[in-house]
Amino acid sequence: MLVIYEGKKMQSLKVSLMKFVLKHVVNWALKDPEIRLMKIMKVIGKVSFTKKVDGGQNRRNLFMNVFTDNDTMMYKWLVRFMKEMDPRVTHRFLQSVGIHAAFVGNKKKWEVVNREKCNVPGAILMDPTSKCNIKCIGCWAAEYEQTDEMDYELLDRIIREGKEIGIHFYLYTGGEPTIRKADLIKLAAKHQDCWFMAFTNGTLLDEKFAKKCAVLGNMSFAISAEGYEEETDFRRGKGSYKKMMQGMDNLKKYGVPFGFSCCYHNKNVYTVGSEEYIDFLIDKGAIFGWFFTYIPIGKNAVLDLMAEPEQREWMFHQIRHIRRDRKILVVDFWNDGDYVRGCIAGGKNYLHINARGDVEPCAFIHYATHNIRDCSLLEALKSPLFKQYQWNQPFNPNHLRPCPLLDNPEHLEKMVISTGAYSTQMLDNEDVRDLCDKCRPMAKKWAETANYLWQTDPKVNNYINIQRIKREMAEKAEKKIQEKKKKVLEHAIH
């Protein structure tokens, strides 16, 4: 017990020292980000990677190329972040990500993974409420009852249990999470070692709320954007666009970080993915963006809204183009599978807890075996459905076909049936066989396109390049070992 206490005390001292140093370094950099950030990054690059560690020099070179060249988009994005965000946000973001998540949380996470033999995610997505002030076409929350909620005590318990196993990122969806503004503020104030982000329709982001978020410094928002006024109001209801624009203006005014969350479908893909639209959102103040493709969830889902293979392929290339040429971080939840080795759900990188408390492997997979009201977070991660995800990931050797529903529906059907998972689809309890049947035709069509991309476009296929580099490094290391053994043997003979 004394050893454990001493260990915790030493870690606490290290964290305090890191916060002290970070505070003064950031204050110094904020006075002239364009010049001083470069100096900081060069120092980090030199001290963070060692040649003694396998591949250390390669990682150092990669870091230096990306973060110490003022012509790279990543460096320009960091400068933009420091200039546009409230200084309290910059401090809190770097503490949450750099110290609590990367230094403290990552160590705890891997200790649990090795001890419990289960996935531990980097982030938890949860629904404070199923209530929403609008009803969007294709939104899973639109199918929910409007009465379910997780109270403050339960949300707080999830975060506390999450921190115990190394999780310091918490995302909210719903329903509309900003209906619960008071609780969101209270949780962010209590858990200053965590970073929070809310997926929101943006219609309730008033000036008073934005000001409070700036003071706290550890909250961000992903605002649902479907295109311009016509496209947005088509899916979200008349008047939604103007309210969303005002919400963005309020956040920008107080230096609160926000981005966009966009569901692209058959009717809007070439609008929301266009350079003109991305530039428009950057001018509004967006610093990041999430792209999702339409999933036909619910018995009344509109199948005609599913993106065709040529549209999804267009987005695949367009996302990479935007990342290369624009000062904004954008992620495609499906088309970036090559960066994260396929599916990220089932606790591998994240999980979802709905407002009723059902612990789902993904926000788009409405099946569960456990409810957080009746079990601990760790117990949920070790549940049968989550173990099936752990054992079966990746679901396809082609990581441009990552999803067990949209791209490989036979996998989801098998996992749900074999574990006896129940439907969490709150109004219609959609049978997994019916859901998967809806996705099979498009999965088959996308397979042809995805396989072509996977085999013929390695320059944009990060995963293939990483595997090639790893193989080359392993072969090089093995060659050195054999040469050393040969010299020892020759020396012994002579």
Side-chain angles (χ1 to χ4, degrees):
M1 290 295 290
L2 182 61
V3 173
I4 295 174
Y5 171 76
E6 290 295 335
K8 288 184 178 180
K9 187 177 179 182
M10 181 57 68
Q11 176 149 304
S12 178
L13 288 172
K14 286 181 180 179
V15 169
S16 296
L17 178 60
M18 291 171 74
K19 286 182 178 180
F20 176 81
V21 172
L22 182 64
K23 176 182 177 181
H24 289 280
V25 168
V26 171
N27 283 338
W28 178 77
L30 284 170
K31 294 177 182 177
D32 191 357
E34 288 182 301
I35 302 299
R36 295 184 175 184
L37 182 61
M38 178 76 71
K39 295 179 180 179
I40 293 170
M41 289 300 174
K42 285 181 177 179
V43 172
I44 292 174
K46 289 177 180 178
V47 303
S48 298
F49 306 99
T50 172
K51 293 181 180 180
K52 294 180 180 179
V53 177
D54 223 11
Q57 185 62 48
N58 290 334
R59 287 196 291 271
R60 177 187 291 178
N61 292 340
L62 178 63
F63 181 91
M64 298 297 270
N65 289 337
V66 173
F67 292 103
T68 65
D69 182 349
N70 55 18
D71 285 330
T72 65
M73 278 303 119
M74 181 57 73
Y75 183 82
K76 290 179 179 179
W77 181 85
L78 286 171
V79 171
R80 182 189 168 205
F81 186 96
M82 297 187 81
K83 282 184 170 182
E84 295 182 11
M85 297 303 105
D86 185 290
R88 290 168 291 194
V89 169
T90 302
H91 279 284
R92 192 60 62 190
F93 177 75
L94 292 174
Q95 281 187 18
S96 300
V97 175
I99 298 177
H100 296 293
F103 176 68
V104 179
N106 200 48
K107 182 180 178 182
K108 285 183 180 179
K109 169 184 171 176
W110 287 108
E111 285 175 352
V112 176
V113 168
N114 293 328
R115 184 180 71 244
E116 303 293 341
K117 309 301 180 187
C118 66
N119 281 333
V120 175
I124 292 177
L125 176 66
M126 51 189 179
D127 304 351
T129 180
S130 62
K131 296 176 183 176
C132 189
N133 57 325
I134 59 178
K135 184 174 183 177
C136 306
I137 298 172
C139 175
W140 68 79
E143 302 294 328
Y144 287 178
E145 294 281 2
Q146 297 286 298
T147 56
D148 292 298
E149 289 197 331
M150 289 196 284
D151 60 24
Y152 171 83
E153 288 70 25
L154 181 55
L155 293 168
D156 179 56
R157 194 200 100 199
I158 293 169
I159 296 170
R160 285 187 285 107
E161 289 185 10
K163 290 197 295 184
E164 284 297 314
I165 57 176
I167 305 170
H168 288 264
F169 288 100
Y170 295 89
L171 300 87
Y172 301 116
T173 182
E176 172 51 45
T178 58
I179 287 175
R180 298 275 299 281
K181 289 178 188 177
D183 284 337
L184 300 192
I185 290 291
K186 191 176 176 182
L187 288 165
K190 180 176 180 179
H191 300 284
Q192 285 279 285
D193 54 349
C194 295
W195 188 263
F196 297 90
M197 185 177 77
F199 287 90
T200 170
N201 59 44
T203 61
L204 302 177
L205 300 174
D206 58 73
E207 196 167 341
K208 182 180 178 181
F209 182 55
K211 191 173 183 179
K212 286 182 179 179
C213 292
V215 173
L216 285 170
N218 62 338
M219 288 192 71
S220 57
F221 299 88
I223 299 175
S224 297
E226 305 297 326
Y228 298 104
E229 189 164 11
E230 182 180 352
E231 294 89 355
T232 299
D233 286 358
F234 162 75
R235 185 162 181 258
R236 303 196 175 277
K238 189 172 178 60
S240 297
Y241 179 80
K242 290 180 180 178
K243 292 178 181 178
M244 178 182 75
M245 291 295 106
Q246 184 59 55
M248 289 184 178
D249 292 341
N250 292 336
L251 295 177
K252 184 177 181 180
K253 178 179 178 179
Y254 289 99
V256 177
F258 74 90
F260 64 87
S261 170
C262 178
C263 173
Y264 65 89
H265 50 74
N266 192 283
K267 308 298 182 186
N268 74 348
V269 60
Y270 298 116
T271 298
V272 298
S274 69
E275 294 171 34
E276 293 78 12
Y277 187 60
I278 299 301
D279 288 339
F280 166 72
L281 291 171
I282 291 173
D283 290 339
K284 289 296 292 183
I287 61 169
F288 63 87
W290 294 86
F291 279 104
F292 306 88
T293 194
Y294 176 80
I295 305 292
I297 296 171
K299 292 180 180 178
N300 298 319
V302 183
L303 297 183
D304 288 345
L305 285 178
M306 295 179 74
E308 293 291 334
E310 60 269 21
Q311 295 175 319
R312 188 167 164 183
E313 180 185 4
W314 182 83
M315 281 296 295
F316 171 83
H317 293 294
Q318 187 70 354
I319 286 290
R320 285 152 178 78
H321 174 69
I322 292 167
R323 278 200 287 256
R324 187 179 65 245
D325 296 339
R326 298 294 190 276
K327 289 186 282 187
I328 188 169
L329 297 182
V330 289
V331 175
D332 188 317
F333 203 69
W334 274 266
N335 281 339
D336 279 337
D338 55 322
Y339 289 91
V340 290
R341 201 167 176 261
C343 172
I344 65 171
K348 177 186 169 187
N349 295 96
Y350 99 110
L351 59 82
H352 177 236
I353 306 175
N354 68 23
R356 196 161 54 187
D358 300 307
V359 186
E360 303 167 336
C362 175
F364 299 95
I365 305 298
H366 295 173
Y367 301 93
T369 60
H370 282 56
N371 189 291
I372 199 66
R373 299 177 192 275
D374 306 317
C375 69
S376 69
L377 181 59
L378 186 57
E379 286 171 335
L381 287 166
K382 296 166 71 174
S383 67
L385 186 55
F386 277 72
K387 294 298 288 185
Q388 281 289 316
Y389 265 77
Q390 183 184 18
W391 293 332
N392 285 282
Q393 288 167 325
F395 296 107
N396 198 299
N398 180 343
H399 301 316
L400 300 181
R401 299 168 60 193
C403 182
L405 171 58
L406 189 64
D407 306 314
N408 309 278
E410 67 281 0
H411 278 286
L412 182 66
E413 184 175 347
K414 182 179 178 181
M415 291 190 296
V416 169
I417 292 173
S418 68
T419 60
Y422 57 88
S423 172
T424 59
Q425 190 71 25
M426 296 184 181
L427 290 184
D428 59 24
N429 291 317
E430 187 170 27
D431 188 281
V432 69
R433 287 167 284 239
D434 296 333
L435 174 62
C436 291
D437 283 346
K438 289 188 293 187
C439 295
R440 291 187 213 281
M442 194 62 76
K444 186 176 180 180
K445 290 168 68 175
W446 171 244
E448 295 179 17
T449 303
N451 289 342
Y452 176 79
L453 287 171
W454 187 252
Q455 294 165 11
T456 63
D457 206 347
K459 68 177 181 294
V460 292
N461 191 316
N462 189 52
Y463 177 73
I464 286 179
N465 287 333
I466 288 173
Q467 297 308 304
R468 176 181 56 77
I469 292 169
K470 283 183 176 180
R471 283 196 303 271
E472 290 174 355
M473 287 171 57
E475 289 168 2
K476 194 174 181 180
E478 181 62 27
K479 187 177 179 181
K480 283 184 179 181
I481 292 171
Q482 295 302 325
E483 287 175 352
K484 192 175 289 185
K485 285 181 178 179
K486 186 178 178 181
K487 286 180 180 180
V488 171
L489 184 60
E490 289 174 351
H491 180 73
I493 292 172
H494 294 298

